[in-house]
Amino acid sequence: MTQTGHRSMWSSRWAFMLATAGSAIGLGNIWKLPYMIGVNGGSAFVLVFLACIFLLGIPLMMCEIMLGRRAQRNPADGMLALAREARAPAAWKWVGIAGLFAGLLILGFYSIIAGWVLDYIVRAASGEFRGIDGPAAKQQFDQFLATPLQMLVWHTLFIVMTLGVVARGVNAGLEKANMILMPALFAILLVLVGYSMAVGDFSRSAQFMFTPDFSKLTPVAVVSALGHAFFSLSLGMGAVMVYGSYLQRHVSIARTTIYIAVADTGVGILIGLAIFALVFANDLEAGAGPGLMFQTLPIAFGSMPGGDIIGTLFFLLVTFAAWTSAISLVEPAIAWLTENTRLTRKQSAWLIGITDWLLGIAVLLSFNEWQHVHIVFGLGIFDTLDKLTSTIMLPLGGLAMALFAGYVMKTEHVREELGLGMGPYRIWRALIRYVAPLAILAVFLYLLGVIGN
Ligand code: PHE
């Protein structure tokens, strides 16, 4: 397929790998996965999540990179071009368009949580956690949630940081940020895990996460594990597709995908082990929910030697992770704008930045002034955006991409792009054609109340 105009490319395979790992490793691994493991009873949830990553996540990530690299365009025009090539209906472009919006919706709440993290860097650094106990930590967090203005300041900063990078383009912006932030993130992670191994209750944490107890597994837990596998690997909305569209032809998609998925899952598991080791050593509540990181970790940081520094490093690590993911949430929309309108990258970044800034304001108000505003099923603005994107839009996007690659595209084109041997290709194809669609359909049927319940 031919390229449209001049497009930037990653300068190396390493740059692509770091950027995609940067997209995958984010608040999903550090803030969301641990609290979901806690809420869903631990090990059995971990196993289902891992199965979803390996059976669905990896083949779908290969699929999304493959679609992006073949199309060499933003996800919306990319799906259209691929549909034309396969003589399929132009309506496939809606998969890409929905993805652009999903990214913007996710950033609407992502930026708020990232803002909390920024605030907690300052708290940790200024020694605010010293000697804090459970009720005090909870009160501190609740008080913060009740102060929309403070949340607005951090949300604004995070939006500026994100769009500031994206405005600089693929090489000077996305690539450079990931090349600096990702190695820093891995270094801080090693320090933290080592530290929590030394002072935390690591064996209880490992037992909680790895001794399977299937009696604790509910259908809701299975549904959330699948949704979270998509969220964690950034699948189903075109982030990976647009990153794939900047990838050089000769790079092996399968091998790169496996490295990225292993890094993403590994970071999630390591952070989970570290967090629960601190939670158990300090007799804290594993099932605390979304506040887990903000209500329990300060107590642990406040009571350990060197806790100010470790706490500051921890929240810095979370910021880096969130930042490199947020960049990829807006890139599909930015690529679409620059490739379809006369707006420059900078102007597009302003437009998207302001849109997401406004959306974020609604989200942050849903924690205080608008607490009683419910959108659907009694869910507030924050929960609606979270559930709508991770349990519906991303799996649906993933399903559509799997069906497209598995049934619509010409086999030779898929094989040419993936460059797999016959055996691995057959396995991939079976996962994409049967396993992924059936699993995703089962989840939707469950959500619709047809089965389960
Ligand atoms: N994968 C990111 C995380 O784990 C979130 C994300 C989802 C980023 C979808 C891009 C696209 O935090």
Side-chain angles (χ1 to χ4, degrees), residues 80-163:
L80 180 64
L82 293 173
R84 290 222 170 100
E85 186 186 49
R87 298 187 197 293
W92 281 102
K93 71 168 184 282
W94 285 98
V95 176
I97 297 174
L100 309 185
F101 284 101
L104 300 186
L105 293 177
I106 294 175
L107 186 63
F109 69 88
Y110 211 80
S111 170
I112 300 305
I113 313 288
W116 297 355
V117 175
L118 288 171
D119 187 84
Y120 270 61
I121 299 182
V122 178
R123 285 175 199 259
S126 58
E128 239 185 80
F129 301 149
R130 272 180 227 156
I132 202 171
D133 60 3
K138 185 165 176 347
Q139 197 196 4
Q140 187 184 54
F141 184 59
D142 289 344
Q143 240 165 31
F144 175 51
L145 290 192
T147 339
L149 211 59
Q150 200 172 342
M151 281 166 54
L152 177 64
V153 171
W154 294 118
H155 161 55
T156 309
L157 175 62
F158 189 75
I159 291 284
V160 170
M161 283 160 61
T162 303
L163 278 307

Side-chain angles (χ1 to χ4, degrees), residues 247-442:
L247 178 65
Q248 300 88 341
R249 275 261 126 77
H250 58 87
V251 174
S252 151
I253 291 181
R255 197 157 2 116
T256 317
T257 301
I258 290 175
Y259 291 148
I260 296 167
V262 168
D264 180 61
T265 321
V267 169
I269 296 290
L270 276 178
I271 292 274
L273 279 170
I275 288 188
F276 289 116
L278 294 177
V279 163
F280 290 132
N282 292 279
D283 277 328
L284 306 172
E285 178 58 61
L292 179 72
M293 188 169 99
F294 300 98
Q295 289 174 27
T296 61
L297 290 185
I299 314 173
F301 295 139
S303 64
M304 61 173 67
D308 293 353
I309 298 175
I310 296 292
T312 310
L313 280 179
F314 175 82
F315 287 110
L316 209 57
L317 166 128
V318 188
T319 302
F320 290 176
W323 196 1
T324 50
S325 298
I327 293 170
S328 74
L329 282 167
V330 291
E331 181 60 21
I334 299 278
W336 186 86
L337 283 171
T338 48
E339 286 165 25
N340 283 283
T341 66
R342 305 176 63 142
L343 295 181
T344 61
R345 216 172 218 280
K346 249 204 197 98
Q347 291 162 334
S348 312
W350 271 101
L351 179 63
I352 299 292
I354 291 172
T355 311
D356 260 314
W357 183 71
L358 291 172
L359 181 63
I361 292 179
V363 175
L364 71 86
L365 288 174
S366 77
F367 289 99
N368 34 69
E369 312 296 326
W370 292 356
Q371 212 166 22
H372 303 292
V373 177
H374 291 160
I375 310 284
V376 275
F377 305 122
L379 295 176
I381 300 171
F382 169 78
D383 290 316
T384 307
L385 285 181
D386 176 20
K387 297 275 176 316
L388 172 71
T389 50
S390 39
T391 43
I392 301 179
M393 294 182 84
L394 302 186
L396 210 55
L399 172 66
M401 290 177 198
L403 294 177
F404 187 82
Y407 295 96
V408 178
M409 267 177 91
K410 279 212 176 74
T411 310
E412 313 96 81
H413 292 163
V414 176
R415 288 210 59 186
E416 180 185 311
E417 210 59 57
L418 287 178
L420 288 175
M422 203 54 194
Y425 173 72
R426 285 224 171 100
I427 299 176
W428 176 83
R429 192 167 155 90
L431 289 170
I432 283 292
R433 291 186 73 155
Y434 310 110
V435 180
L438 286 176
I440 298 170
L441 275 179

Side-chain angles (χ1 to χ4, degrees), residues 26-84:
L27 292 174
N29 307 61
I30 309 173
W31 158 72
K32 214 169 174 199
L33 181 66
Y35 91 69
M36 290 178 85
I37 295 176
V39 168
N40 291 297
S43 54
F45 177 85
V46 175
L47 279 182
V48 178
F49 173 70
L50 290 179
C52 290
I53 292 277
F54 285 95
L55 290 177
L56 309 180
I58 291 182
L60 275 167
M61 185 177 251
M62 287 171 61
C63 168
E64 215 179 308
I65 299 175
M66 181 273 288
L67 295 175
R69 184 166 73 179
R70 183 150 192 97
Q72 302 275 304
R73 289 165 176 81
N74 68 77
D77 295 310
M79 286 306 292
L80 180 64
L82 293 173
R84 290 222 170 100

